[in-house]
Structure formats: structure tokens, C-alpha cells
């Protein structure tokens, strides 16, 4: 596609429920990243996929968070048993390859846990 | 841990004036820096980047300066326009981090007409 597409744009969920956030990267981009942005804060790295390599999961805050990338394209970030502190904007980005740092970000999914 | 930070959380600037946004970084191994602009409700947008073997890089109305001696990065916006109102983030990368970027906390720029 023309840009990085994320869905849903907004998600309100009850504490304890599981949520799935979707990211559709730019066609041909082999690297995909998930970041989290809390209100008024900078971006916090979560996980990074590059081609068929094992993902870098070093930023995932707990084992309630997981992500997968199917077929080297679409990615899903799953948060199990959501907590109020999970409320944030979850941003996905993609880049052409490992040598390209100028990510293209999606508009994010705003997650609110009530 | 090492991180990127910003001196000024909010910057108000008169339309037409120049803006300077500052960023301090603490990881001396960082060798690549990027400035992003984030408008309300949107994801960050790449503005300009610079590698550590450079001191200055210019783009369209923007200039990034890197002072490795004091670990300082700045973004200069010439003739600031209302469309420049946004939050600006600096980000750093170092080789051992792979493709991960470490972002600063952001500076909000408000352009007054």
C-alpha cells in the first residue's frame, strides 16, 4: 500500500480482556517495528521483525505482550489480560531493509483500557 | 540506561522566526540520529537524519547540527510556518542496537501567527 496501515485506529477494552492490533506495512518493506507511545511521552521500542530472522523482542514489557508477522507482511500485536497501564498509542513502522532507519510510521492505534 | 533527552518541552515561536530544538544524548556509541515531526493524531514523520561523521546537514528549511564533543543535537527550522506546529522527537541509533531507535521525550513547537 501507499503507507503503513494500522487498525483499529481506536480501541477501548475492559481490564483483563485480550486485544489484537494489526499493522499492514508498506509493500516491499522487509523490516517492521512496533513502538508504544504513552500520553505526552516519547516512543518506547517493543519489537522488531526483519525478513525471516528471529524477531528482536527485547522491548516487550511483559509476557502478556506478543507479536507475530505472517508471510513477511502483516503483523499483529497481541496484549493479553490488559491492564490500565497498557493504555497508550501503539505505533507500527516499516523500512525497506536493515540499512534504512528512516522508518515510515502508521497513524497508530490508541488503546484505552478501562 | 542511556537515553536521549530534550531540554525544552514546549517552544513558542512567532511565525516567520527561526526555531531551534535541542536534544542531548548520552550514548557516546550512537552514530546515527534522526529528527521526527509528529502532528496531532498522526504517526511520526521523518524530517532529516545525520551520521556521526558529519557536523551539519541541511534540508528544505531545516538544518541538523551535531556536536559530538558535548553530545548535543539540534534542529533548526527556518522561517517557521503554522504548519510546523507539532511535536518534534530526536532519535538515536548505535550499531549494537541493530535497527532499533531510542527516542527522546519530544518538544512541542507552537507557532504564533
Amino acid at each position: 500500500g501507499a503507507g503503513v496501515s494500522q487498525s483499529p485506529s481506536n480501541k477501548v477494552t475492559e481490564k483483563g480482556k485480550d486485544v489484537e492490533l494489526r499493522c499492514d506495512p508498506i509493500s516491499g518493506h522487509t523490516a517492521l517495528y512496533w513502538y508504544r507511545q504513552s500520553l505526552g511521552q516519547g516512543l518506547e521500542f517493543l519489537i522488531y521483525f526483519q525478513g525471516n530472522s528471529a524477531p528482536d523482542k527485547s522491548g516487550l514489557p511483559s509476557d502478556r505482550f506478543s507479536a507475530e508477522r505472517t508471510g513477511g507482511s502483516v503483523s499483529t500485536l497481541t496484549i493479553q489480560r490488559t491492564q490500565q497501564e497498557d493504555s497508550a498509542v501503539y505505533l507500527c513502522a516499516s523500512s525497506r531493509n536493515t540499512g534504512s532507519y528512516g522508518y515510515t510510521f502508521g497513524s497508530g492505534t490508541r488503546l484505552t483500557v478501562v | 540506561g542511556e537515553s536521549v533527552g530534550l531540554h525544552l518541552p514546549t517552544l513558542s515561536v512567532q511565525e516567520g522566526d527561526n526555531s531551534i530544538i535541542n536534544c542531548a544524548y548520552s550514548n557516546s556509541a550512537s552514530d546515527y540520529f534522526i529528527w521526527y515531526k509528529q502532528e496531532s493524531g498522526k504517526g511520526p514523520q521523518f524530517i532529516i537524519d545525520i551520521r556521526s561523521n558529519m557536523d551539519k546537514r541541511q534540508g528544505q528549511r531545516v538544518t541538523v547540527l551535531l556536536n559530538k564533543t558535548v553530545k548535543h543535537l539540534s534542529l533548526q527550522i527556518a522561517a517557521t510556518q503554522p504548519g510546523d506546529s507539532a511535536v518534534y522527537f530526536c532519535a538515536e541509533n548505535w550499531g549494537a542496537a541493530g535497527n532499533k531507535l531510542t527516542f527522546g521525550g519530544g518538544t512541542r513547537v507552537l507557532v504564533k501567527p
Side-chain angles (χ1 to χ4, degrees):
Chain A
V4 177
S5 178
Q6 292 189 246
S7 61
S9 55
N10 282 284
K11 176 71 176 179
V12 180
T13 190
E14 293 181 350
K15 178 181 174 181
K17 300 284 189 181
D18 297 351
V19 294
E20 286 189 351
L21 313 180
R22 176 187 168 104
C23 173
D24 199 343
I26 292 174
S27 179
H29 280 194
T30 60
L32 185 148
Y33 316 81
W34 284 98
Y35 283 79
R36 177 169 71 174
Q37 186 174 29
S38 300
L39 185 63
Q41 301 296 312
L43 281 72
E44 173 191 7
F45 169 78
L46 296 177
I47 187 169
Y48 154 52
F49 296 89
Q50 171 56 45
N52 295 321
S53 301
D56 179 346
K57 304 179 181 180
S58 60
L60 295 178
S62 77
D63 59 8
R64 296 187 295 105
F65 289 73
S66 63
E68 63 177 20
R69 189 180 185 192
T70 55
S73 182
V74 172
S75 178
T76 302
L77 176 69
T78 301
I79 309 174
Q80 296 178 310
R81 304 180 302 282
T82 51
Q83 304 295 314
Q84 288 185 329
E85 60 263 28
D86 299 334
S87 296
V89 176
Y90 289 81
L91 290 159
C92 176
S94 68
S95 65
R96 193 174 304 278
N97 54 46
T98 54
S100 174
Y101 303 98
Y103 303 171
T104 300
F105 279 91
S107 295
T109 294
R110 180 175 297 278
L111 176 66
T112 304
V113 181
V114 297
Chain B
E2 301 194 276
S3 63
V4 173
L6 292 172
H7 297 302
L8 300 174
T10 303
L11 176 67
S12 293
V13 60
Q14 198 70 38
E15 181 178 355
D17 288 351
N18 297 335
S19 303
I20 299 176
I21 307 165
N22 296 301
C23 177
Y25 66 94
S26 58
N27 188 344
S28 57
S30 291
D31 56 9
Y32 182 76
F33 305 88
I34 307 177
W35 280 99
Y36 282 91
K37 172 186 179 182
Q38 186 174 29
E39 297 174 280
S40 181
K42 298 182 180 180
Q45 178 184 8
F46 175 91
I47 300 174
I48 192 168
D49 59 358
I50 188 169
R51 295 199 175 273
S52 59
N53 61 351
M54 302 172 69
D55 297 323
K56 178 179 179 179
R57 190 163 188 228
Q58 289 185 295
Q60 185 177 10
R61 284 201 306 118
V62 294
T63 300
V64 55
L65 299 177
L66 176 63
N67 186 330
K68 295 180 288 293
T69 302
V70 295
K71 298 177 188 172
H72 185 267
L73 190 69
S74 68
L75 178 70
Q76 300 179 359
I77 305 173
T80 311
Q81 302 170 358
D84 295 327
S85 292
V87 177
Y88 291 80
F89 295 95
C90 62
E92 63 178 328
N93 174 267
W94 57 94
N99 253 36
K100 293 182 290 188
L101 294 176
T102 297
F103 284 81
T107 293
R108 181 175 300 280
V109 172
L110 299 175
V111 181
K112 298 177 289 185

